[in-house]
Amino acid sequence: MVLHLADLDRTQIALVGGKAAALGELTRVVRVPAGFVVTPGPVEIAGRIDEGKGYAVRSSATAEDLPTASFAGQHESYLNVVGSHAILEHIELCRASLFTERAVTYRERQGIESAQMAVIVQEMVPARAAGVMFTADPVSGNRHVAVVEAVPGLADDLVSGRVTPDTYRVRDGVVVGSGPLTEAQVLELVGLGRRIQAHFGSPQDIEWCLAEDGFWFVQSRPITTLFPIPENDGGKHVWVSVGHQQMMTDAMKPLGISFWRMMALAPMHDAGGRLFIDITARLATPSGRASLLATLGRSEPLSRDALETIIERGFIPSEPDGPPPPARGEKELPEVAVLIERTQTSLAALKETIRGKSGADLLDFIREDIRELQRLMSDPESFQALMAFMEASFWLNENLEAWLGERNAIDTLTLSVPNNVTSEMGLALLDVADTLREHPEAGIPAAFLEKYGMRCAAEIDITRPRWSEDPSPLLPLLQAHIRDFAPGEAQRRFADGLRRAQEKEQEILERLRALPDGEQKADEVKRRIDRVRRYAGYREFPKYGIISRFWIYKQALLAEAERLSLREKGDIDFLRFEELQSGHYDEKLVQARKEAYRWHQTLTPPRMLTSEGECISGAYRREDLPPGALAGLPVSAGVVEGRARVILTMAEAHLEPGDILVTRFTDPSWTPLFLGLSGLVAEVGGMMTHGSVIAREYGLPAVVAVERATRLIRDGQRIRVDGTNGFVELL
C-alpha cells in the first residue's frame, strides 16, 4: 500500500514503521513536508511524483524509532532523489539496508527477532539551515535543558559527522551559543520542540530544517539513552543509587525490585530497572549533608563528589538543624559467634516453617517473614560490630600513615581473618578442586552447594539463577584450580596470610615503641588491630544471611510458579510480589516488562539522579597521576603489572595465572576468581565493599571506582595497577 503521511498515526507502527508513524503524528502538531510511505510489499508510485522535484527517500523499519530502540544510523536514507525511476531504485536500497550486518547486529543486541521495511518518500525543503534538537540534554539527562545543533543548508553533513555544528543550549528562555540561527529562532524552535514532546509524552530527538517560510520537521523519535526519573511529587528531589553501594549496577527484574522495596529499611524508588534512595530531606540540613558526605566518602568516593556537585549548586536549599540526638554511651561490643548464630537459627526456623505452604498462604507468610529479615538487618548489635571494624580500620590507616609513613597498613593486617564467609567460600572451592583432582566423577559436593549454592552473580536480584540451580559458572573455575594449584592450596594460602598479618603487626608495634610516647601508641594500635581482626570477617556475613533467605523464598516461589497459569515459567520474574499476592497475571503486561528490561539493560545508571533528570556520576580532582593514568580508589596495597582481562560476566571468566581482572563490579560470587589473579580493577566500589575486602584478604593489589575502566582498558592489554596510590597505567 501507499499511504499519505497525514493519514498515519502511532498505532500503525507495525504497518509503516516507527519513523513514518511518528511523522504522521507530527503532522498534527507542526509542519511536515508532504509525502507518502510505501509499505513492505509491491511498489506502486505512479502519479505520485513530480518528475522535476527532489525527494528524500528514507527507511522506516517496523522496529525503528521505538521508545526502547532508536536504530539511529542503522538504515539508509537518501536526499535530492529526482525522477520516478531513481526513486524506485532508492526504495529498494532502503529495503536492502534492513539486512546489512550492522542492522542485523543491532536487532540482535536489542532482542528484536524480525523487522520489515517501509519507505518514506517526501518532498525536499529548500533549507537555509538544518539540524537536530534534543528536548532534554542527551549527555547529562537534564529535562530542563534543550540542545540544538545546526548547520547551514541540509543536515546530512551533520548527521554523517562530516562537519561540526553550531550548538545552542537553552534553559528557562536563556540561550547559550551562536551561529546560523538567531536567538529568536532558537527560542521559537525550542518552543515547537516542547510542543512535540508534550504530544509524544517523552523527551524527543527531532530533525528540523529552516526554509524562507519558517521551520519544518522531518523526524521525531524518543531519546532512548535518557535514564528514567523515579515517580515523585513534582518537587525537587535527589536520589542516590543503591546499586553502586551494593556492587551490582545491572538492571533488575520486577520481582527482584519488589523484594528490595519490601525489605528496605528506608523507602526505595525504582527507575530504569535500578533502585534509588531519596536523600532530599537529609540534604536539607547541615548535619544531614555532613553525614551523607562522610558515609559516601568512605564507601564510594565518586558518589561523594557527585553529592558535592549538587550541594555546591544549591539544588536543595539548606534549613537549620533541629536539636541534636541524645549522645549514646559506649556499649560492650557483641560476640561475632552470637551474631552468626542468631541468623543461622532464624534461617533454620524459616526452612522448617515455610515447608508445605502454597498459594495465598505462602505469599502472606513470605511478606510476614520479611519483617524478621528487617529485624536482623536492623539489629543494633550487628551494626555495632560492622562500625567497630570500619572505624578501627580508618583509625589505623590514618594514624599509622601519620606516625610511621605506613600507607594502607590495614591491607596486610586483615589477611586471613576468622569468620569471613566469602573468603572461606573461595578456599572451600580449592578443597573441592582437590577432591575432583582425585575423583573427577564426584562432581560438586552437596555440602558445598548446601552452604554456598544460594550465591550467584548479581545475587541481590532474587530472579538470578543460583549455583544450586545452575552450577556451570563454577566448572571453569574448578578446572583452573586443578590446573594451577597443587593439593592443599587452601590451607597453605590461609596459613601464609595469617603469618604475614602477624609479622606485620609485630613490625608495626616495634616501630611504634621506638617513638616518643611509643608504648601508649603501641597499646592503642594493638587494641584496634585486635578489634579489626575480630570483626573484619563479619563484614561479609549480613549479606550472606540476606541471600540465604532469598534462596529459601525463591525455592518456594519456583514451586508456586508451577501452579500458576504462566505462559512461561520465567514470567514470574516480571511480576511484582504484590501482583503475585493478588493473583494478577496480565500476559501483555509481562511482555511489555520484558521489552522494558531489555531497554534497561542498555542504560548506564548514575550515582546521583535529580528530579530534573540530570545524571551526576562524579569525578576525581587529582593532580598526582602519571600521564595517561586512570584514577581510582586504592583499596588493597601493592603494585602489579600483568595482562588485563576485561570481563563483564563470570561466564566469560577464562583466566590465566597472573591475569589482572578488569570488570564493572564484583560481588561475593566472584570471590573464587580472585585466587588466580594478580590484581583487580573495578568501575564500582569503595574501601569497605565486598570486592575490596576480599582483595585485601587475598593480598591482591586493587583499585576500584575507576570510571569506564572496561571501555578504556582493552582486553589483553598490559597494565600496571597501583593499589597503594590508586591509579592504573596503560602500558
Side-chain angles (χ1 to χ4, degrees), residues 3-47:
L3 303 171
H4 287 287
L5 289 176
D7 296 332
L8 304 178
D9 59 40
R10 70 186 84 183
T11 66
Q12 295 167 286
I13 289 177
L15 178 64
V16 300
K19 188 180 298 180
L23 281 170
E25 290 283 348
L26 272 180
T27 63
R28 294 156 174 77
V29 189
V30 290
R31 296 197 303 171
V32 176
F36 56 87
V37 60
V38 181
T39 62
V43 180
E44 178 52 65
I45 62 171

Side-chain angles (χ1 to χ4, degrees), residues 336 339-344 347 382 386 419-422 455 536-548 690:
V336 170
L339 297 175
I340 291 174
E341 179 61 26
R342 282 179 195 168
T343 296
Q344 297 289 24
L347 288 169
S382 177
L386 296 174
N419 299 311
N420 189 322
V421 70
T422 305
R455 312 226 81 147
Y538 183 70
R539 165 67 182 83
E540 294 294 294
F541 191 81
K543 189 171 186 180
Y544 174 82
I546 293 171
I547 301 306
S548 296
H690 298 279

Side-chain angles (χ1 to χ4, degrees), residues 86-384:
I87 288 172
L88 287 171
E89 286 183 345
H90 285 84
I91 287 174
E92 293 308 317
L93 290 173
C94 284
R95 288 176 167 173
S97 69
L98 188 67
F99 306 103
T100 61
E101 182 179 356
R102 70 171 185 251
V104 171
T105 301
Y106 186 92
R107 287 199 298 274
E108 289 175 348
R109 192 167 66 246
Q110 295 290 334
I112 297 170
E113 295 180 1
S114 63
Q116 292 183 298
M117 181 67 79
V119 181
I120 302 162
V121 180
Q122 270 183 296
E123 294 181 9
M124 292 291 297
V125 171
R128 293 166 37 198
V132 296
M133 168 173 50
F134 302 95
T135 61
D137 187 336
V139 177
S140 73
N142 197 315
R143 271 60 161 186
H144 289 222
V145 176
V147 179
V148 175
E149 293 184 342
V151 294
L154 297 174
D156 54 332
D157 283 342
L158 166 60
V159 174
S160 67
R162 290 191 293 266
V163 298
T164 300
D166 297 320
T167 301
Y168 310 83
R169 298 173 62 82
V170 182
R171 177 175 180 140
D172 299 330
V174 177
V175 179
V176 177
S178 61
L181 301 180
T182 66
E183 181 173 309
Q185 288 170 331
V186 172
L187 291 174
E188 179 188 356
L189 180 59
V190 169
L192 293 168
R194 296 295 185 204
R195 188 190 303 175
I196 294 169
Q197 174 178 289
H199 181 81
F200 284 102
S202 66
Q204 297 287 298
D205 169 359
I206 300 164
E207 293 184 19
W208 56 271
C209 50
L210 176 62
E212 290 293 338
D213 58 351
F215 287 103
W216 294 81
F217 295 85
V218 295
Q219 185 165 319
S220 188
R221 59 188 173 214
I223 307 176
T224 60
T225 56
L226 292 179
F227 200 87
I229 303 173
E231 290 185 10
N232 62 88
D233 58 10
K236 284 190 171 184
H237 291 268
V238 176
W239 296 276
V240 63
S241 164
V242 173
H244 285 84
Q245 310 302 313
Q246 286 290 333
M247 301 306 99
M248 206 292 278
T249 55
D250 285 352
M252 296 173 68
K253 294 177 182 174
L255 185 62
I257 287 173
S258 65
F259 261 94
W260 273 91
R261 292 192 65 174
M262 283 192 298
M263 63 183 258
L265 301 176
M268 286 189 180
H269 307 259
D270 64 283
R274 276 79 171 187
L275 289 161
F276 295 86
I277 292 177
D278 193 333
I279 57 172
T280 309
R282 294 181 69 185
L283 278 177
T285 65
S287 63
R289 291 179 176 187
S291 172
L292 281 169
L293 287 169
T295 301
L296 293 175
R298 289 180 172 182
S299 66
E300 230 269 346
L302 289 175
S303 292
R304 177 190 172 106
D305 184 80
L307 186 60
E308 286 176 337
T309 299
I310 292 170
I311 292 172
E312 288 166 5
R313 292 179 184 173
F315 184 74
I316 302 296
S318 182
E319 301 172 357
D321 271 318
R328 292 184 296 181
E330 182 98 6
K331 289 187 177 181
E332 185 179 346
L333 290 173
E335 291 295 331
V336 170
V338 172
L339 297 175
I340 291 174
E341 179 61 26
R342 282 179 195 168
T343 296
Q344 297 289 24
T345 301
S346 179
L347 288 169
L350 170 61
K351 281 184 183 178
E352 186 62 33
T353 313
I354 202 171
R355 189 174 292 136
K357 293 187 182 295
S358 63
D361 186 32
L362 169 66
L363 297 168
D364 290 344
F365 172 78
I366 289 176
R367 184 176 278 280
E368 184 65 27
D369 187 75
I370 284 174
R371 295 183 184 177
E372 169 68 2
L373 174 55
Q374 290 175 317
R375 184 188 69 79
L376 291 167
M377 291 168 59
S378 59
D379 182 350
E381 289 193 335
S382 177
F383 180 75
Q384 189 182 4

Side-chain angles (χ1 to χ4, degrees), residues 425-625:
M425 175 178 68
L427 298 177
L429 201 66
L430 283 171
D431 290 336
V432 172
D434 286 351
T435 301
L436 295 180
R437 189 182 287 107
E438 299 297 325
H439 304 284
E441 75 286 350
I444 299 175
F448 180 88
L449 292 177
E450 174 66 23
K451 187 167 184 179
Y452 303 113
M454 80 293 293
R455 312 226 81 147
C456 66
E459 63 189 9
I460 68 169
D461 184 350
I462 198 172
T463 69
R464 295 294 184 103
R466 310 286 136 172
W467 289 342
S468 286
E469 298 174 84
D470 176 17
S472 60
L474 297 174
L475 300 181
L477 298 177
L478 286 167
Q479 291 169 349
H481 289 352
I482 292 170
R483 179 193 68 208
D484 299 333
F485 299 115
E489 177 66 17
Q491 292 80 1
R492 277 195 304 275
R493 191 172 283 247
F494 187 85
D496 180 65
L498 185 58
R499 176 187 56 77
R500 290 173 58 199
Q502 291 170 341
E503 290 174 352
K504 188 62 160 180
E505 177 179 336
Q506 291 308 310
E507 175 210 325
I508 284 172
L509 295 178
E510 288 173 11
R511 290 168 63 194
L512 285 170
R513 290 188 182 106
L515 299 177
D517 298 324
E519 287 297 334
Q520 181 182 342
K521 287 183 171 69
D523 288 345
E524 291 175 348
V525 167
K526 172 61 175 169
R527 188 164 57 253
R528 284 177 170 85
I529 290 175
D530 289 346
R531 181 171 290 189
V532 162
R533 291 196 60 82
R534 180 179 173 188
Y535 292 107
Y538 183 70
R539 165 67 182 83
E540 294 294 294
F541 191 81
K543 189 171 186 180
Y544 174 82
I546 293 171
I547 301 306
S548 296
R549 212 166 198 92
F550 272 15
W551 176 226
I552 298 172
Y553 295 157
K554 184 174 186 181
Q555 290 174 90
L557 289 174
L558 288 174
E560 186 65 17
E562 299 284 354
R563 290 186 281 272
L564 297 174
S565 300
L566 302 179
R567 184 180 176 203
E568 298 176 12
K569 186 176 179 180
D571 285 358
I572 192 173
D573 296 345
F574 294 91
L575 296 172
R576 295 183 181 271
F577 188 84
E578 54 270 25
E579 292 164 349
L580 290 176
Q581 278 193 294
S582 67
H584 178 72
Y585 172 64
D586 182 333
E587 191 173 309
K588 289 184 178 178
L589 175 66
V590 167
Q591 290 305 117
R593 285 180 176 169
K594 287 181 178 179
E595 291 176 12
Y597 177 68
R598 283 195 290 268
W599 171 47
H600 294 160
Q601 288 176 300
T602 69
L603 299 175
T604 300
R607 286 175 166 82
M608 295 279 167
L609 180 62
T610 75
S611 47
E612 293 186 347
E614 185 171 7
C615 298
I616 306 174
S617 289
Y620 290 104
R621 307 171 198 266
R622 294 175 55 179
E623 299 177 355
D624 61 338
L625 300 178

